[in-house]
Amino acid sequence: SIKMDLLHSNGILIIQHLQRDYRAYQDFLNFMSHVGDPRNIFSIYFPLWFQLNQVVGTKMIWVAVIGDWFNLIFKWILFGHRPYWWVQETLIYPNKSSPCLEQFPITCETGPGSPSGHAMGSSCVWYVMVTAALSYTVRWKDRSAATLHRLTRSFLWSIFWIIQISVCISRVFIATHFPHQVILGVFAGILVAEAFEHTPAIQTASLRVYIKTNLFLFIFALGFYLVLKVIDIDLLWSVPKAKKWCANPDWINIDTTPFAGLVRNLGALFGLGLGINSEMFITSCKGKNSCKISFRILCIAASLATLQLYNFVKIPTHTEYLFYILSFCKSAAMPLTVVALVPYCVHSLMRTTEKKLN
């Protein structure tokens, strides 16, 4: 439509302005784009918070998974273009005088562009972290503590918005999103996170609930895709566009396709459910050692170190279905490691040490 073309063309002007005038900040903006990567939730934010506060860590996974699932459905409904391919195909520029946008190794996302998954994932998870941190200070009763709470509140929310704005600018700078797509992503993420502030049932969910939730999310997404495919609407329309207009074929990654994100999130949710409902979790994280600061610090350090090793596990991409299966297994192993395996090993080590000292 004319209004959408106008919105896109104005977005292209903003991207050109950023790429021209913010060249000196290129490394920082690329870094902020990595900060907003939803995969950091499972490998960095979750291991930290789960060992500090299991309620917050559990909520974080649920928010990340459900938020990314909604992001996928919204992408399929909105059919949002990405700047780096839209500028090549639009007819609004006369005589093939389309603007030149620079691309980067992280530009060539293959899914639809609206809303931004990075902006949505970043806002929902940081919203959980900020509200969790403020929940500790809100209990302070005396006047001086109340003043400190207000200052802390202002500081943390300022940090929240600085991070979100930086992530949004970075995604626009690399020409993978239009401005309106990142703005929509931020507020959609906040809505999802706020919804889970009023959903305490996830803290006591059984493994059966996790499995049922996984099946519902998978069947709904797959069913939605197949129904539209039957009526000749291809929800993977963005993949050939990305392959066609990406400046470097090596920058195309199967890990950015819509179904790759779905499988990754379903694996993480299943791994969390399996871990929380395991005997190892009950033995280690519900035992007497769980209250010790040393236990938590060791678990954090061991979890972060172990999860970094998963980065060296490269999943073969030559067969798409095999990639999805192995991606699910790898994603499930990460929260299972944080929730059950690492705490159980640390618990066993501490118990052995205590016996030797006695």
Side-chain angles (χ1 to χ4, degrees):
S1 67
I2 297 176
K3 289 184 178 180
M4 188 58 67
D5 284 341
L6 181 62
L7 186 64
H8 285 159
S9 61
N10 288 333
I12 295 297
L13 293 176
I14 294 174
I15 295 170
Q16 286 183 300
H17 167 69
L18 289 175
Q19 292 189 344
R20 182 182 65 249
D21 298 338
Y22 288 76
R23 174 71 56 192
Y25 304 101
Q26 176 179 327
D27 291 339
F28 170 75
L29 292 174
N30 284 334
F31 170 74
M32 289 308 300
S33 191
H34 285 295
V35 168
D37 193 330
R39 285 169 288 197
N40 288 333
I41 299 168
F42 308 118
S43 61
I44 299 176
Y45 304 141
F46 170 67
L48 284 170
W49 273 97
F50 187 83
Q51 306 302 348
L52 294 174
N53 188 315
Q54 293 168 11
V55 172
V56 178
T58 301
K59 185 193 299 182
M60 186 177 292
I61 291 291
W62 277 90
V63 166
V65 169
I66 301 301
D68 208 51
W69 183 83
F70 273 116
N71 182 263
L72 172 64
I73 300 301
F74 289 153
K75 284 180 184 292
W76 279 348
I77 293 174
L78 297 177
F79 282 80
H81 290 273
R82 292 186 185 271
Y84 77 92
W85 76 57
W86 179 86
V87 75
Q88 301 291 343
E89 297 188 343
T90 182
L91 301 177
I92 70 169
Y93 300 107
N95 301 322
K96 297 183 179 180
S97 59
S98 58
C100 181
L101 300 181
E102 184 175 355
Q103 296 183 25
F104 303 87
I106 55 176
T107 296
C108 299
E109 299 272 352
T110 58
S114 186
S116 166
H118 280 64
M120 191 168 175
S122 175
S123 65
C124 71
V125 170
W126 278 92
Y127 188 92
V128 169
M129 290 193 286
V130 169
T131 53
L134 290 175
S135 67
Y136 290 102
T137 63
V138 77
R139 302 166 190 166
W140 299 341
K141 300 297 183 182
D142 58 272
R143 184 173 298 178
S144 60
T147 301
L148 182 58
H149 167 69
R150 286 194 294 271
L151 292 173
T152 304
R153 180 185 180 88
S154 299
F155 173 75
L156 290 178
W157 283 120
S158 297
I159 294 296
F160 172 85
W161 284 111
I162 288 172
I163 290 174
Q164 303 321 310
I165 291 171
S166 298
V167 170
C168 289
I169 291 175
S170 73
R171 300 302 288 172
V172 175
F173 174 84
I174 64 174
T176 199
H177 283 296
F178 289 101
H180 69 277
Q181 295 174 342
V182 293
I183 293 172
L184 179 60
V186 167
F187 288 101
I190 292 174
L191 287 175
V192 172
E194 180 60 28
F196 275 90
E197 291 293 318
H198 311 284
T199 315
I202 59 174
Q203 302 297 335
T204 56
S206 64
L207 181 58
R208 179 176 296 181
V209 171
Y210 279 90
I211 293 175
K212 286 182 177 179
T213 303
N214 257 19
L215 288 174
F216 171 79
L217 297 177
F218 177 73
I219 292 172
F220 186 96
L222 182 61
F224 188 71
Y225 169 79
L226 293 176
V227 166
L228 291 185
K229 189 172 184 178
V230 167
I231 59 177
D232 205 27
I233 297 178
D234 183 15
L235 293 179
L236 300 181
W237 60 273
S238 60
V239 177
K241 289 183 181 292
K243 292 179 178 179
K244 180 179 180 180
W245 296 114
C246 183
N248 187 338
D250 293 336
W251 295 347
I252 295 290
N253 192 338
I254 190 176
D255 201 31
T256 66
T257 60
F259 278 112
L262 175 66
V263 169
R264 183 171 59 247
N265 287 307
L266 294 182
L269 188 63
F270 176 73
L272 176 66
L274 198 62
I276 284 181
N277 291 279
S278 67
E279 287 296 326
M280 286 188 292
F281 171 77
I282 296 172
T283 301
S284 56
C285 294
K286 296 296 184 181
K288 62 179 183 178
N289 283 331
S290 62
C291 299
K292 297 179 180 179
I293 298 298
S294 57
F295 173 78
R296 297 187 180 187
I297 292 175
L298 284 172
C299 285
I300 290 173
S303 295
L304 290 174
T306 304
L307 291 186
Q308 297 313 306
L309 297 177
Y310 283 99
N311 294 330
F312 296 100
V313 179
K314 301 301 180 183
I315 301 176
T317 59
H318 58 275
T319 304
E320 192 169 359
Y321 293 112
L322 178 62
F323 171 83
Y324 290 145
I325 293 172
L326 295 179
S327 180
F328 178 90
C329 295
K330 179 180 177 180
S331 299
M334 295 176 73
L336 181 62
T337 299
V338 174
V339 172
L341 296 178
V342 165
Y344 184 77
C345 291
V346 172
H347 169 77
S348 300
L349 179 63
M350 293 180 68
R351 188 174 59 181
T352 302
T353 304
E354 288 174 358
K355 287 182 178 179
K356 289 182 178 179
L357 293 175
N358 292 332

